DNA sequence: CCAGTTATAGTCGATCTGATTATAAGATAT
DNA sequence: ATATCTTATAATCAGATCGACTATAACTGG
């Protein structure tokens, strides 16, 4: 499987193998414009900072860095992944990146200069299928992916690349799967169709690449967060972390749609939400929605204690 | 939410905040005796070692350590969680623990002295519900959990502790949920009913504690692995990593039952497996099963490429 | 040849799910 | 005032799924 030559015998002690550990946060909110991520450096980086001895835990270190850099206090936090790939961060440094997903509401914003909210889909324009498949997939990505596939040396690899591209991007009549966000990004990286793949190496004359990029492997971490969140909303009631205290069922639906990047059947969504008893009517209504005034709901917190694995099942199409 | 006082302004550079990173492996296999984990130190520790500069990646570092310490080559690997809690590892050191789950077959065993396979349920005797609820839950855990709950200062905490214990351990007529393995361990830790919770602190006169313990937070990592695996087999076809190349459907069922710690309805299991086209008949049969000879199946590998998120749905009872 | 064991096929009813239609209640335009 | 638009909410229907159960087949060991 793998070489076993690397390490010396026994355990090395002391400072010999010390590394730097970075904490990186993907802070997500949803507003009318869609799903947003909290960024610094004018959208080029995620909030992050080194894990320090003073930090009580990884989570508290992360909270401290995000609050320092953006003024944003974090509520719900969940660990995403720990990366340490040598080639993916740029220089020849050895850094461990421990990434987290945080869910919040944009209004919680304190005033801070360096921060800004950016739409997910600025970084991943091929991921938003709410108005059908975006043109970029067939017009830009597909030809370039085919070109990449056909550039392989042997037939088996060509076949495999074509198949992977087709599965990830729903080509050849396949169904779109919104949870493959990370695989799509990794495929584009492998095909050198994203800017990150071209750093350091051959800086050939490059055609424009789709989607805005970020420093180091931050866009990859964002893709990880999107994939995780799109998967998780289907079986855990995490959407409510993104909602205001009171909301209508349509607002809830629009939030889920913004995250998953696809539209949901309205009656089925309502039925599923209501029968799970995750929300309760407040009695109040709002007329701000345009048509008939809608009931305002609130999240039924106590249900969480009793049903620890209760899923927010969502009627997203399967295959 | 959290204090923002800790870190200094800006990014600290250089070696100031270096930490040690440990790679820890939960290597799982299933044999006739049940689900097993690969251990060293006579079952007291999981294979582990520091992440070193020589390692190409976290995964290759892990593979190297496991192979060095146990002779076991690893196939399927999946990241579990990254811990860095100061209090949970023992001494006042600062160590990041990056844990992985690996699935393998026990027969792959090379000869190596320090290793041994241990049953999950030696460490978590309350987790095996294949023959109904084990007596330890009602006879030992329940009274002690109640005692712990009633020891709280205020009524609200008492109520909350009782509720959490009831949810986790299926008391008061609640249904058992095998996926809560980690929550159960954490609850016992909080209630100081496991040996790990008593280290370093007050070494009072202690009644015997249930289940075998491990060094540092290794049992906690094992609990994390069990919970993850029990959840994952329901929607991803990972069971096959634990199976020999050819197997009968009952062997497959017994493996799933061993992992989940509960029994499955046989006709329904077969139906679900077959209709998902994850396996294919080989035509061969085996008479080693006692009764009527059983068809030997093999895992249908190609299906994985085409259906990246295809779940191995399992007919485990819901609520 | 009978009892025991396992394999395999099939049935039945309840529930779930996806899609569709119908009706209600407001705002806005003419 | 009436028509029309928008959104909210209720109801229906057929197909798929799921859990529990029954029946039959094929082999082994006394």
């Amino acid at each position: 499987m793998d070489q076993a030559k690397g390490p010396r015998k026994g355990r090395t002690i002391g400072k010999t193998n010390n590394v730097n550990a970075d904490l990186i946060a993907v802070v997500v909110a949803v507003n009318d414009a869609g799903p947003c991520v909290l960024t610094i450096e004018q959208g080029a980086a995620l909030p992050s900072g080194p894990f320090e001895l003073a930090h009580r835990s990884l989570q508290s270190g992360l909270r401290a860095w995000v609050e320092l850099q953006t003024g944003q206090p974090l509520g719900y936090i969940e660990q995403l992944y720990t990366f340490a790939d040598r080639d993916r961060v740029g220089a020849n440094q050895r850094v461990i990146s421990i990434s987290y997903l945080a869910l919040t509401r944009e209004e919680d914003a304190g005033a801070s200069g360096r921060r800004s909210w950016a739409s997910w889909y600025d970084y991943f324009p091929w991921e938003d299928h709410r108005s059908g498949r975006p043109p970029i997939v067939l017009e830009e990505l597909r030809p370039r992916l085919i070109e990449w596939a056909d550039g392989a040396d042997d037939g088996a690899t060509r076949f495999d690349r074509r198949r992977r591209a087709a599965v990830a991007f729903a080509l050849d009549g396949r169904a779109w799967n919104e949870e493959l966000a990370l695989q799509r990004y990794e495929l584009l990286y492998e095909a050198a169709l994203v800017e990150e793949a071209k750093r350091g190496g051959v800086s050939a004359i490059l055609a424009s690449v789709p989607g805005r990029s970020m420093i180091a492997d931050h866009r990859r971490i964002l893709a990880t967060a999107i994939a995780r969140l799109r998967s998780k909303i289907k079986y855990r009631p995490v959407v409510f972390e993104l909602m205001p205290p009171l909301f209508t069922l349509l607002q809830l639906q629009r939030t889920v749609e913004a995250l998953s990047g696809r539209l949901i059947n309205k009656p089925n969504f309502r039925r599923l939400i209501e029968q799970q008893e995750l929300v309760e009517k407040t009695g109040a209504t709002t007329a701000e929605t345009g048509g008939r005034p809608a009931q305002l709901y609130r999240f039924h917190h106590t249900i969480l204690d009793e049903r620890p694995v209760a899923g927010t099942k969502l009627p997203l199409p399967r295959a």
Side-chain angles (χ1 to χ4, degrees), chain A:
Chain A
M1 288 286 140
D2 224 315
Q3 97 298 6
K5 54 184 182 229
R8 291 173 287 287
K9 261 237 184 79
R11 293 212 174 201
T12 35
I13 41 173
K15 310 260 172 191
T16 326
N17 290 301
N18 280 1
V19 293
N20 287 308
D22 258 7
L23 301 168
I24 306 184
V26 180
V27 186
V28 171
V30 174
N31 60 20
D32 297 332
C36 296
V37 58
L38 185 60
T39 62
I40 58 176
E41 319 276 344
Q42 289 83 45
L46 298 170
S48 68
F51 179 53
E52 296 176 344
L53 295 167
H55 294 142
R56 274 202 333 272
S57 65
L58 293 171
Q59 293 210 4
S60 68
L62 184 89
R63 288 178 198 275
W65 279 118
V66 172
E67 196 145 353
L68 184 72
Q69 293 177 358
T70 70
Q72 180 78 31
L74 299 184
Y76 177 89
I77 281 186
E78 152 184 350
Q79 198 178 94
L80 268 181
Y81 206 79
T82 302
F83 301 93
D85 299 294
R86 220 190 301 236
D87 325 323
R88 293 290 284 264
V89 285
N92 252 9
Q93 50 194 327
R94 180 103 285 193
V95 169
I96 295 178
S97 301
I98 307 170
S99 57
Y100 280 82
L101 168 66
L103 303 181
T104 186
R105 286 184 292 277
E106 203 178 336
E107 309 113 73
D108 289 357
S112 176
R114 298 167 63 200
R115 66 186 248 156
S116 60
W117 289 96
S119 168
W120 283 5
Y121 301 127
D122 292 346
Y123 303 96
F124 305 97
W126 55 86
E127 290 290 345
D128 188 1
H129 284 232
R130 282 176 294 178
S131 322
R133 188 199 323 241
I136 188 178
V137 175
L138 290 186
E139 293 173 10
E140 299 204 45
L141 299 181
R142 199 171 82 105
R144 296 203 208 175
L145 285 167
I146 290 177
E147 187 185 357
W148 163 72
D150 291 345
D153 289 334
D154 60 302
T157 307
R158 277 194 291 276
F159 182 82
D160 187 63
R161 285 184 176 181
R162 279 207 182 233
R163 188 188 44 70
R164 284 197 289 147
V167 168
F169 287 93
L171 307 175
D172 308 337
R174 277 167 234 254
W176 176 257
N177 185 337
E178 75 278 0
E179 292 184 34
L180 301 184
L182 178 59
Q183 286 166 60
R184 281 186 282 273
Y185 174 76
E186 295 284 35
L187 196 69
L188 295 178
Y189 185 96
E190 188 179 340
L193 296 179
V194 290
E195 191 259 327
E196 292 90 325
K198 299 163 177 173
R199 292 175 190 161
V202 208
S203 64
I205 305 113
L206 298 166
S208 75
V209 283
R212 181 166 183 194
S213 70
M214 295 179 126
I215 66 159
D217 55 350
H218 285 200
R219 185 153 62 145
R220 181 198 198 188
I221 292 171
L222 179 54
T224 307
I226 292 172
R228 170 77 63 89
L229 190 49
R230 283 181 170 180
S231 165
K232 194 146 195 174
I233 50 173
K234 290 181 183 167
Y235 61 95
R236 285 285 173 90
V238 287
V239 213
F240 300 103
E241 305 289 342
L242 300 164
M243 302 300 296
L246 298 182
F247 50 86
T248 71
L249 290 187
L250 187 58
Q251 286 168 349
L252 185 63
Q253 179 180 346
R254 293 286 176 245
T255 302
V256 173
E257 290 174 336
L259 298 175
S260 63
R262 59 187 345 184
L263 297 181
I264 298 175
N265 181 289
K266 187 161 151 181
N268 293 349
F269 180 82
R270 297 175 59 88
R271 177 176 58 189
L272 217 46
I273 295 297
E274 283 174 332
Q275 79 186 12
Q276 289 181 97
E277 298 178 37
L278 288 169
V279 297
E280 55 184 3
K281 278 186 186 163
T282 62
T285 60
T286 175
E288 295 171 3
T289 48
R292 170 176 167 180
Q295 288 282 338
L296 283 171
Y297 288 79
R298 103 164 46 91
F299 180 46
H300 194 199
H301 280 282
T302 55
I303 208 72
L304 269 194
D305 304 330
E306 289 296 316
R307 294 200 311 213
V309 270
T312 321
K313 289 185 275 183
L314 295 177
L316 291 165
R318 8 186 124 192

